[in-house]
Amino acid sequence: MSLNLPPIGITVSLLLASNVFMTFAWYAHLRDLTHKPWIVAALISWGIALFEYLLQVPANRTGYTVMNLGQLKVLQEVITLSVFVPFAYFYMKEPLRLDFLWAGLCLLGAVYFIFRPHLQGILQS
């Protein structure tokens, strides 16, 4: 069975997976490797980040066929926060704070403004 996703679906799927790897590469060592020298944490993080780049580069290449650079970047930031909040709460055991909500609302504003020309075209048709 093949999934014939449109470019935006492929981009979002790859960016979601990429961000899981990125978030673990950037932050998991703060919980799991605090007893190791920083260079060990850095090398392990780089190893994890390799998988992030193997997903992120094709995601951005695919996304750039249907979005401009600003739209692609804002999409990336929304996905980053969507992955980071559950990671912080469930994996890092950080408390949920209203700051996450406010940051999310700011990102929704960014989504609106960066995709506004496209949204206006859809609403007018």
Side-chain angles (χ1 to χ4, degrees):
M1 175 177 110
S2 97
L3 297 174
N4 291 322
L5 292 174
I8 189 75
I10 293 168
T11 300
V12 168
S13 298
L14 289 172
L15 285 176
L16 277 168
S18 166
N19 269 272
V20 169
F21 283 107
M22 177 193 74
T23 301
F24 273 89
W26 283 17
Y27 302 109
H29 64 87
L30 297 174
R31 182 185 118 174
D32 299 324
L33 299 173
T34 56
H35 61 284
K36 300 282 187 188
W38 74 265
I39 190 71
V40 172
L43 292 172
I44 290 171
S45 293
W46 284 346
I48 296 168
L50 170 64
F51 295 103
E52 184 240 334
Y53 279 100
L54 291 174
L55 297 167
Q56 179 264 341
V57 170
N60 284 336
R61 286 175 161 249
T62 302
Y64 196 62
T65 65
V66 294
M67 290 179 276
N68 65 42
L69 191 59
Q71 291 170 330
L72 196 55
K73 180 59 181 168
V74 168
L75 177 64
Q76 167 67 33
E77 294 305 327
V78 168
I79 290 171
T80 296
L81 189 60
S82 299
V83 169
F84 178 78
V85 171
F87 171 85
Y89 181 73
F90 290 109
Y91 188 79
M92 297 295 290
K93 307 294 186 212
E94 293 280 327
L96 284 179
R97 297 187 320 265
L98 276 177
D99 292 341
F100 293 143
L101 174 64
W102 306 139
L105 290 174
C106 289
L107 282 173
L108 283 177
V111 167
Y112 170 75
F113 286 112
I114 203 73
F115 285 96
R116 183 173 47 175
H118 181 69
L119 293 172
Q120 287 174 340
I122 291 172
L123 295 175
Q124 291 174 354
S125 31

